[in-house]
């Protein structure tokens, strides 16, 4: 069953620009907030990665609240750095590059040291992600495969599985927020769910969300889970966002991952160009960033359960045009302060935004 | 390797006469000039075909009519016609068009490149690749490919 999102009935929020971060000398592809910062006196830390082959670490100064570049991680990757991800402890940063490697960096005081380099992909690595416990890492790339690595003591990483199944370039991988379930999205227009077979410790594809599931009709660029992990949102070159939910019982320990995902809702008619990034905040706000230089925010319409014949639907609560002078490649909500959003663009800049209710 | 040119005997057309742009006398030098179809065509007409010593205009791979433009909304779409249906150089030609426009147009422009419908065996696949900016970015980090593209673009800078 499909629900078309209704257009702007509830647009009483605005995004106010807090600061523009300059420094990268080429397009900025990805962003990652350090998950253990931004609370209890610990200044917020943000990592960004770029076509200039470097990763920059930005920190908010406690005294002024203004953002500064704390470190530049260079002379390691020899090509575009496409994606970066902090470990759940916030102590390590993984960076995925077109040079076919994934580098692991450790934060030692004010410095970052490359402590490991993961090789194996045949060509460009496009995404890297740590699972919720920090025991596993997943990577994916243009070679159509998804790799799962086990994090071992002494900065050792062992590849435990190479997952084949996608028929084209894999754009992004993301671990579920609480269980060891992995999602991958691809140029082959599908979304795949991967889980470990409890008995044999073998990873395999438990579901493919394609045509038969009301899937996307072009490249799927990104995916994001809501905070409870019972819903996910994907964005695509087909100009839509799709919401999915699951019948999985996520509370049961040793959860059986065979619960299937189903299509809940398609949001179309909003963006005019490829939607490159989507991120679901702790407060339930979905942010999307696209090739039309726009950021849009959506929220689920609370509805009377009795009237919920077609399931929940979503309203656009804010539209901000020309947020950058070129494509928006990444949008990421702050992990602790749910009204703060960061965006990255082809224009080489990163912007920090604050969500405010229009009075 | 025996000469394996995809299209050993392309049809070569006459080049269209080039109109000289006239300057209005009271031109405000600070005004932003709108970009038009002819300007876009002028950027790409002299791109050399990767396989033959002829320009894309001479081979009728691109023409002024195949350029759709909305200057107000910063949008351009170029439709090009490969010389043969199974042309494996289609993606290279598309890449050349993209790179030339990237270097010539203001960065606010959104550019779509596609093969003329019905003129290529794997039309959808070629179009998808040419319009995936991540694939284009990665391709442009390949020195061999960049060299080939630069060679095709050289005549356009004279």
């Amino acid at each position: 069953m499909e629900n078309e999102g209704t257009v702007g009935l509830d647009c009483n929020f605005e995004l106010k620009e807090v600061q523009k971060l300059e420094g990268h000398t080429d397009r900025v592809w990805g962003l990652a907030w350090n998950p253990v910062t931004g609370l209890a006196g610990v200044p917020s830390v943000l990592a960004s990665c770029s076509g200039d082959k470097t990763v920059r670490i930005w920190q908010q100064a406690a005294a002024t609240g203004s953002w500064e570049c704390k470190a530049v991680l260079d002379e390691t990757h020899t090509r575009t750095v496409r994606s970066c991800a902090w470990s759940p402890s916030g102590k390590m940063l993984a960076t995925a590059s077109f040079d076919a490697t994934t580098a692991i960096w450790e934060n030692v005081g004010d410095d970052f040291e490359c402590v490991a380099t993961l090789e194996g992909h045949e060509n460009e690595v496009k995404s890297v992600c740590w699972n919720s416990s920090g025991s596993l890492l997943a990577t994916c790339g243009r070679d159509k495969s998804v790799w799962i690595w086990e994090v071992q003591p002494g900065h050792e990483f062992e590849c435990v599985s190479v997952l084949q199944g996608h028929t084209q370039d894999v754009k992004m991988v993301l671990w579920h927020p609480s269980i060891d379930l992995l999602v991958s999205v691809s140029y082959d227009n599908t979304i795949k769910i991967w889980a470990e077979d409890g008995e044999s410790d073998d990873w395999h594809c438990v579901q493919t969300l394609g045509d038969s599931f009301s899937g996307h009709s072009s490249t799927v660029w990104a995916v994001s889970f809501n905070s409870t992990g019972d819903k996910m949102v994907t964005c695509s070159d087909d100009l839509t966002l799709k919401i999915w939910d699951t019948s999985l019982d996520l509370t049961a320990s040793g959860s059986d991952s065979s619960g299937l995902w189903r299509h809940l809702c398609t949001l179309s008619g909003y963006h005019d160009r490829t939607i490159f990034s989507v991120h679901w905040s702790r407060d339930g706000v979905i942010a999307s960033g696209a090739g039309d230089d726009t950021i849009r925010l959506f929220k689920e319409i609370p509805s009377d359960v009795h009237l919920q014949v077609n399931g929940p639907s979503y309203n656009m609560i804010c539209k901000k045009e020309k947020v950058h002078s070129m494509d928006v490649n990444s949008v990421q909500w702050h992990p602790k302060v749910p009204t703060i959003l960061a965006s990255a663009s082809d224009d080489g800049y990163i912007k920090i935004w604050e969500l405010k209710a229009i009075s | 390797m025996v000469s394996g040119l995809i299209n050993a005997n392309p049809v070569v057309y006459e080049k269209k006469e080039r109109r000289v742009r006239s300057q209005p006398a009271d031109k405000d030098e600070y005004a932003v000039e709108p970009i038009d179809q002819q300007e876009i065509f002028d950027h790409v007409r002299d791109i050399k075909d990767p396989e033959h010593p002829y320009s894309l205009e001479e081979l009728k791979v691109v023409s002024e009519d195949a350029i759709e433009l909305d200057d107000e909304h910063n949008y351009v779409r170029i439709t090009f016609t490969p010389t043969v249906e199974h042309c494996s150089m289609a993606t290279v030609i598309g890449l050349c068009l993209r790179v030339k426009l990237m270097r010539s147009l203001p960065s606010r422009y959104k550019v779509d490149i596609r093969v003329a419908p019905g003129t290529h065996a794997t039309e959808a696949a070629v179009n998808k690749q040419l319009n995936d900016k991540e694939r284009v970015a990665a391709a442009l980090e390949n020195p061999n490919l960049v060299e080939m593209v630069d060679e095709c673009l050289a005549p356009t800078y004279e």
Side-chain angles (χ1 to χ4, degrees):
Chain A
M1 296 208 213
E2 248 189 81
N3 253 346
E4 294 296 333
T6 50
V7 180
L9 284 185
D10 225 353
C11 266
N12 42 22
F13 286 90
E14 61 169 352
L15 276 175
K16 209 180 129 216
E17 185 178 325
V18 172
Q19 198 175 336
K20 178 164 113 171
L21 309 182
E22 307 181 42
H24 280 297
T25 54
D26 201 308
R27 72 199 333 159
V28 186
W29 279 110
L31 295 170
W33 291 96
N34 185 311
V36 304
T37 65
L39 198 68
V42 179
S44 295
V45 171
L46 178 69
S48 62
C49 57
S50 165
D52 66 12
K53 308 177 197 162
T54 74
V55 173
R56 279 178 178 252
I57 310 293
W58 311 84
Q59 188 171 282
Q60 191 175 27
T64 59
S66 138
W67 291 84
E68 291 149 5
C69 182
K70 224 185 74 159
V72 179
L73 280 44
D74 57 5
E75 293 177 1
T76 298
H77 285 300
T78 54
R79 287 181 59 178
T80 287
V81 188
R82 177 64 179 88
S83 164
C84 53
W86 294 93
S87 62
S89 68
K91 295 203 186 102
M92 289 196 281
L93 182 70
T95 59
S97 168
F98 284 1
D99 65 12
T101 72
T102 304
I104 311 292
W105 305 78
E106 196 172 43
N107 190 356
V108 184
D110 274 340
D111 279 319
F112 282 81
E113 198 190 303
C114 177
V115 297
T117 303
L118 278 42
E119 294 176 348
H121 278 288
E122 284 168 33
N123 45 48
E124 298 93 63
V125 190
K126 304 206 167 173
S127 176
V128 61
C129 186
W130 304 77
N131 71 344
S132 57
S133 61
S135 61
L136 299 171
L137 199 63
T139 57
C140 67
R142 181 166 64 89
D143 61 7
K144 309 171 193 162
S145 66
V146 172
W147 289 54
I148 299 186
W149 311 78
E150 206 173 68
V151 184
Q152 290 164 353
H155 305 130
E156 291 290 320
F157 291 79
E158 191 191 316
C159 173
V160 296
S161 196
V162 176
L163 306 172
Q164 311 283 5
H166 278 297
T167 56
Q168 294 276 2
D169 185 7
V170 189
K171 300 294 198 187
M172 181 173 171
V173 279
L174 184 70
W175 288 100
H176 187 276
S178 51
I179 57 174
D180 282 346
L181 195 74
L182 183 67
V183 180
S184 61
V185 301
S186 166
Y187 184 102
D188 69 10
N189 308 349
T190 71
I191 298 148
K192 281 184 181 285
I193 319 289
W194 311 85
E196 207 172 358
D197 180 357
E199 292 168 19
S200 63
D201 287 342
D202 257 333
W203 287 84
H204 60 287
C205 179
V206 296
Q207 198 180 4
T208 298
L209 302 172
D211 282 333
S212 51
F213 282 91
S214 303
H216 286 289
S217 57
S218 190
T219 300
V220 189
W221 280 92
V223 57
S224 180
F225 285 101
N226 66 351
S227 53
T228 45
D230 60 287
K231 290 198 181 77
M232 64 180 181
V233 57
T234 52
C235 63
S236 165
D237 178 62
D238 69 8
L239 313 183
T240 72
L241 294 156
K242 285 181 186 277
I243 317 276
W244 311 82
D245 82 346
T246 183
S247 49
L248 271 178
D249 178 6
L250 299 163
T251 56
S253 57
S255 198
D256 171 15
S257 314
S258 61
L260 295 185
W261 290 81
R262 57 168 191 156
H263 173 262
L264 197 61
C265 179
T266 293
L267 307 179
S268 60
Y270 295 101
H271 288 290
D272 298 316
R273 307 278 299 172
T274 305
I275 309 172
F276 292 110
S277 177
V278 67
H279 198 222
W280 213 322
S281 81
R282 279 168 24 144
D283 272 1
V285 182
I286 296 171
S288 63
D292 56 11
D293 310 348
T294 301
I295 289 176
R296 288 171 192 261
L297 306 180
F298 301 87
K299 199 159 182 185
E300 188 171 316
I301 304 168
S303 48
D304 188 329
V305 174
H306 300 295
L307 296 177
Q308 246 182 52
V309 178
N310 290 334
S313 61
Y314 292 75
N315 242 357
M316 184 179 74
I317 64 168
C318 176
K319 167 175 106 166
K320 190 124 180 116
E321 292 177 323
K322 299 197 171 67
V323 291
H324 286 277
S325 59
M326 293 172 75
D327 292 4
V328 181
N329 293 324
S330 180
V331 286
Q332 288 286 299
W333 292 101
H334 191 291
K336 300 278 188 266
V337 185
T339 51
I340 300 291
L341 181 73
S343 64
S345 166
D346 274 355
D347 65 13
Y349 300 121
I350 296 152
K351 287 190 178 183
I352 311 290
W353 307 89
E354 192 178 349
L355 182 64
K356 288 192 140 137
I358 298 174
S359 45
Chain B
M1 184 172 94
V2 170
S3 165
L5 286 185
I6 304 299
N7 185 9
N9 296 301
V11 178
V12 182
Y13 300 84
E14 254 182 58
K15 286 199 258 210
K16 191 175 160 181
E17 182 195 297
R18 283 158 207 247
R19 297 199 307 260
V20 174
R21 317 290 308 257
S22 56
Q23 300 273 41
D26 58 348
K27 181 164 135 70
D28 171 4
E29 52 187 277
Y30 293 108
V32 175
E33 269 182 50
I35 291 172
D36 64 9
Q37 253 185 335
Q38 203 209 340
E39 183 174 341
I40 308 248
F41 185 57
D42 285 340
H43 283 307
V44 302
R45 66 201 299 177
D46 294 324
I47 294 174
K48 191 186 90 66
D49 179 272
E51 286 192 308
H52 310 98
Y54 298 106
S55 72
L56 296 186
E57 176 183 13
E58 286 170 315
L59 296 172
K60 274 212 157 116
V61 172
V62 288
S63 68
E64 203 172 316
D65 306 315
I67 296 171
E68 291 160 86
L69 171 68
D70 181 348
D71 187 50
E72 207 190 303
H73 295 106
N74 305 314
Y75 176 73
V76 174
R77 180 164 75 171
I78 294 196
T79 301
F80 72 97
T81 305
T83 53
V84 279
E85 225 185 68
H86 294 277
C87 181
S88 62
M89 284 289 148
T91 40
V92 177
I93 294 171
L95 199 57
C96 289
L97 287 167
R98 198 172 266 296
V99 173
K100 186 62 182 26
L101 291 181
M102 211 158 70
R103 290 179 186 167
S104 315
L105 294 177
S107 60
R108 59 190 156 85
Y109 261 86
K110 303 295 180 189
V111 180
D112 282 342
I113 314 263
R114 63 168 189 165
V115 292
T119 64
H120 196 276
T122 61
E123 182 180 317
V126 171
N127 287 342
K128 196 171 185 180
Q129 257 196 81
L130 290 176
N131 294 295
D132 179 319
K133 74 175 187 193
E134 189 183 56
R135 295 288 282 261
V136 170
L140 295 176
E141 286 184 353
N142 174 338
N144 295 330
L145 199 46
V146 173
E147 200 184 305
M148 194 189 254
V149 168
D150 280 339
E151 228 185 87
C152 294
L153 297 190
T156 69
Y157 297 115
E158 283 153 23

